[in-house]
Amino acid sequence: PDVVLLAAHCVDLDYFEQAAGIAFNEVQLLFSRQADLSAYGSGMATEWPSDVVYAWESLGHSGFSMNSLQMGLAENDDIGLLFLEEAIEDIDPAILVTESEAGAIVEGADVDIVGWGQQTSDQTPPAGTVGTKIGGKSVIGAVADFEFQVGPDQSDVRKCHGDSGGPTFMEIDGGVRLIGVTSHAYDWTDCREKGGVDTRVDHYLEWIDDQMRSRCESGDRVWCEEDGILSPDFVGGG
């Protein structure tokens, strides 16, 4: 309820400063469930959504580097966490795939994807086609130990810029599991022909669990009814 799973590059502030050519004096990281965030990408918004929750810490995997991010399927370690100042308890949290369930992540498996990214593959996307939450059914195109690709064909529902950090879900044994976090383009067609690549959650379960538990042990987290990764039983089977 107080932890958000996302991509490490979403919270790589050093890289953003480098790309912008300026140092950031203040950075606020926030979580919102609003379906339409288009005004924030266009600079038209004047205040944050009413449901925002601030993060007190952002954390990217220590093995991640934006400067060495590889295309295809590779061990990029592009996974991160936000720890929120308030627990969100009016909706059930997502349940991560377990180690024993990870065998279901295979080429050709059906998945559900969600994101606020580009709805076209144009390099300059048309107004109104970025920043709105969209979900769709897709298929896993290729699988490696650390990552998998979603949407192998141009006709598939697939991911593009702005979907980074978003989830890929799969139904496993009657429960919905979060199996991947959107990371990067698969090849130089840059989502014009193929969908994006996800970091496999199952490969990083120990890292995620350790980070969650350590912040309960230190007393910093706001919700520690269960201090590590939640089991499927937490939401009645997931």
Side-chain angles (χ1 to χ4, degrees):
D2 67 322
V3 184
V4 179
L5 184 67
L6 74 174
H9 79 261
C10 294
V11 292
D12 187 350
L13 301 182
D14 290 339
Y15 176 79
F16 291 139
E17 286 187 330
Q18 177 185 337
I22 57 173
F24 300 152
N25 293 323
E26 182 181 2
V27 175
Q28 294 178 315
L29 296 171
L30 318 102
F31 175 84
S32 172
R33 301 202 300 262
Q34 295 298 312
D36 186 355
L37 297 173
S38 56
Y40 301 90
S42 64
M44 298 299 292
T46 57
E47 58 184 25
W48 294 122
S50 59
D51 71 334
V52 297
V53 179
Y54 288 84
W56 61 267
E57 183 183 13
S58 64
L59 177 71
H61 193 284
S62 61
F64 174 76
S65 171
M66 192 68 177
N67 293 319
S68 60
L69 185 70
Q70 301 177 65
M71 289 193 178
L73 301 180
E75 190 175 6
N76 286 305
D77 296 329
D78 192 10
I79 194 163
L81 298 168
L82 288 182
F83 292 94
L84 303 180
E85 293 181 357
E86 303 171 37
I88 298 172
E89 300 190 69
D90 60 333
I91 56 169
D92 287 333
I95 297 298
L96 304 188
V97 62
T98 66
E99 188 175 356
S100 63
E101 295 169 335
I105 303 173
V106 296
E107 184 177 337
D110 294 327
V111 294
D112 291 283
I113 60 177
V114 184
W116 281 259
Q118 294 182 199
Q119 297 167 35
T120 75
S121 60
D122 300 347
Q123 287 189 324
T124 304
T129 63
V130 180
T132 303
K133 183 179 178 182
I134 299 291
K137 295 186 179 298
S138 193
V139 61
I140 293 177
V143 177
D145 290 342
F146 317 106
E147 296 180 329
F148 60 85
Q149 191 269 337
V150 178
D153 298 322
Q154 196 170 24
S155 59
D156 292 325
V157 174
R158 59 197 195 279
K159 304 177 178 197
C160 202
H161 297 291
D163 288 320
S164 290
T168 293
F169 295 104
M170 177 186 286
E171 185 169 331
I172 302 175
D173 296 331
V176 176
R177 301 290 184 264
L178 174 51
I179 65 167
V181 175
T182 306
S183 174
H184 60 90
Y186 181 75
D187 59 23
W188 291 106
T189 63
D190 203 25
C191 81
R192 290 185 296 276
E193 296 180 13
K194 288 182 178 292
V197 172
D198 273 38
T199 302
R200 285 184 63 154
V201 171
D202 62 287
H203 185 70
Y204 295 94
L205 289 173
E206 183 177 356
W207 178 82
I208 296 168
D209 194 66
D210 286 347
Q211 305 308 318
M212 294 173 68
R213 290 182 184 277
S214 69
R215 284 153 181 78
C216 281
E217 291 169 3
S218 66
D220 291 319
R221 279 182 60 189
V222 299
W223 189 95
C224 287
E225 292 178 26
E226 291 191 29
D227 51 4
I229 290 175
L230 300 178
S231 72
D233 295 334
F234 184 83
V235 292

